[in-house]
Amino acid sequence: MSGAADAGSAYTWERSFRLWDTYFALIWVATLVSVLAADHPGRPVRAVAAALLVPLVPLYVREGRRLIQGDPPDQRRTIGYLTAALALVLPSAVLVGETRLLAFALIPQCFMTLRLRSALVAVAVVNLVPVAGWALLWRPSTRDVVFNALFSLVSFVFSVAVGIWIIRIIEQSQERAELIAELDASRHEIGRLSEAHGALAERERLAREIHDTLAQGFTSLVMLIQAVEAELDHDLPEARRHLRLMDETARQNLAEARALVAGGAPADLDGASLPDALGRLAARHDAVLEVTGPVRTLPAGPEVVALRACQEALANARKHAGISVVVGVSLAYADDLLTVSVRDDGPGFDPGAVRGGYGLAGLRARAVEVGGTAEVRSAPGGGTVVTVRLPLVRRETP
């Protein structure tokens, strides 16, 4: 997009500069014709004046165009170029008054290439010196001198006014160009930051999904392996039951990994209701599910958060309280609220003393995303209750 804009601006500048070249050429041709067709002085003098104008063309093509296109123009080269141009124009203008027509081409160049103070001096020279030299050389009538002097003075004032206006336009254009460059740089920086923020958010989402699915599944597998090792020698039926749970957990982890890669719904919710998904999840953790209220289909957001919250709470219960404690899961449907609660009668802990960790923080973040809340109530020796309340009508959250 910026490349196209740069190409368009370059084309506009080149087109406008060709118009300026045409303007200079027309003024130069008109001046040359006026000098050659003048009634006074004689033909030899007019020929000398016209010959002085000829080198202006290569001088402009070689130096003038480059200086006008410069941003900013080189002041030393500009002074050299205008000094050479005036060395040709002023003698011609003193010899033949019609040469003063070239001021219409030189004065804009002064304001386009010089600083304001230097430009004013150059414009004064272009307007006033030819008239003074012409009057001293040819001694015209007082009426002609006064008329030409007034015309030169008016031309000088007009040139100064237009020149200052041109300089102000150039300054505004430069300021706008700088502003556009800053805006373009800011746009690129915003794009870069947005991309980085999007990548960070996606990385955080994936980390949370992996923690709530694959990591919890692997934790369950490790705990089931430990249980099987303890039961092989004295309780084969229970060991076989745990082996079946291991098989189911491994398959569930594989399904979750595929769903995570595909970006689809959680494997437990794929084609199943929320109570069915929580029932299977509770069975894998030897927990009991209780459902109250009118069961109905809900939006995907609250159901996914409820499932992930239950996965996190059950995994934490088995990891920290052990496989021997009693764990219960309750799912309550209300008109405008869905409540999931996981409780255990384990040793408990002090929630205020927990620092770091990803599970509880991710659980709370998930709840907040859909306008809900997550609460952990526990005390040493008093078991633990994790309660997640999710509104079924979305509330704005800070």
Side-chain angles (χ1 to χ4, degrees):
M1 187 71 177
S2 61
D6 293 341
S9 61
Y11 172 74
T12 302
W13 168 247
E14 289 296 333
R15 184 175 58 182
S16 63
F17 203 81
R18 287 197 294 270
L19 292 175
W20 173 253
D21 289 342
T22 303
Y23 170 77
F24 179 85
L26 290 176
I27 296 295
W28 183 85
V29 171
T31 303
L32 186 64
V33 171
S34 300
V35 168
L36 293 176
D39 296 332
H40 180 80
R43 181 174 297 177
V45 176
R46 285 184 281 124
V48 172
L52 289 172
L53 300 181
V54 173
L56 278 177
V57 175
L59 181 63
Y60 168 76
V61 172
R62 184 179 179 86
E63 289 291 330
R65 295 181 85 256
R66 296 180 183 178
L67 293 170
I68 295 173
Q69 288 177 311
D71 187 21
D74 183 272
Q75 292 299 293
R76 178 176 294 182
R77 291 183 59 188
T78 297
I79 293 174
Y81 161 71
L82 290 176
T83 300
L86 291 177
L88 296 171
V89 172
L90 292 180
S92 179
V94 169
L95 293 175
V96 180
E98 282 75 7
T99 306
R100 279 174 264 165
L101 185 61
L102 265 177
F104 289 101
L106 291 179
I107 289 174
Q109 293 185 36
C110 295
F111 285 108
M112 293 169 69
T113 56
L114 292 173
R115 297 186 179 91
L116 180 59
R117 183 175 299 178
S118 301
L120 293 177
V121 173
V123 169
V125 171
V126 171
N127 279 284
L128 303 178
V129 170
V131 175
W134 171 79
L136 291 174
L137 178 63
W138 299 109
R139 303 289 181 175
S141 64
T142 304
R143 179 176 176 275
D144 289 340
V145 172
V146 172
F147 175 78
N148 280 272
L150 288 176
F151 182 82
S152 178
L153 184 61
V154 170
S155 176
F156 172 70
V157 174
F158 177 77
S159 300
V160 170
V162 173
I164 293 176
W165 177 67
I166 291 174
I167 288 179
R168 293 291 180 264
I169 290 178
I170 293 174
E171 291 176 349
Q172 288 180 359
S173 298
Q174 291 174 342
E175 292 174 358
R176 289 173 181 172
E178 293 174 357
L179 179 60
I180 290 172
E182 291 176 0
L183 290 175
D184 191 54
S186 300
R187 185 188 66 182
H188 287 299
E189 181 65 14
I190 291 173
R192 186 188 67 80
L193 292 176
S194 298
E195 183 178 354
H197 177 72
L200 180 62
E202 180 64 13
R203 188 159 52 245
E204 183 178 349
R205 185 191 71 83
L206 287 175
R208 191 165 56 197
E209 291 290 339
I210 291 172
H211 177 274
D212 291 348
T213 56
L214 303 182
Q216 304 293 10
F218 291 134
T219 301
S220 298
L221 285 173
V222 171
M223 296 176 64
L224 288 170
I225 290 172
Q226 293 172 348
V228 169
E229 288 177 345
E231 296 162 350
L232 278 176
D233 294 334
H234 60 84
D235 194 350
L236 285 178
E238 189 67 14
R240 290 191 181 97
R241 188 178 72 85
H242 283 151
L243 285 173
R244 287 193 297 271
L245 285 177
M246 288 173 60
D247 178 74
E248 183 181 350
T249 302
R251 293 178 184 276
Q252 190 67 25
N253 250 27
L254 180 59
E256 290 287 2
R258 288 171 176 168
L260 186 61
V261 171
D268 278 318
L269 286 175
D270 189 12
S273 65
L274 179 60
D276 292 338
L278 292 186
R280 290 195 298 270
L281 181 63
R284 291 199 297 269
H285 289 81
D286 290 332
V288 178
L289 172 66
E290 179 186 1
V291 181
T292 60
V295 178
R296 60 191 184 276
T297 302
L298 300 177
E303 288 194 341
V304 171
V305 173
L307 175 65
R308 297 304 190 212
C310 190
Q311 285 176 324
E312 173 66 24
L314 284 172
N316 284 341
R318 289 307 181 197
K319 179 179 179 181
H320 299 291
I323 62 174
S324 61
V325 301
V326 177
V327 180
V329 180
S330 64
L331 176 64
Y333 286 85
D335 291 338
D336 59 352
L337 191 68
L338 178 68
T339 304
V340 180
S341 182
V342 178
R343 61 194 177 280
D344 66 73
D345 58 358
F349 65 100
D350 181 7
V354 176
R355 295 290 182 270
Y358 195 86
L360 294 179
L363 188 150
R364 292 189 177 96
R366 281 188 180 277
V368 169
E369 283 180 359
V370 294
T373 60
E375 178 186 8
V376 179
R377 289 188 290 111
S378 183
T384 302
V385 179
V386 177
T387 304
V388 177
R389 298 179 178 86
L390 306 173
L392 301 183
V393 178
R394 175 65 185 269
R395 297 196 305 267
E396 292 297 328
T397 58

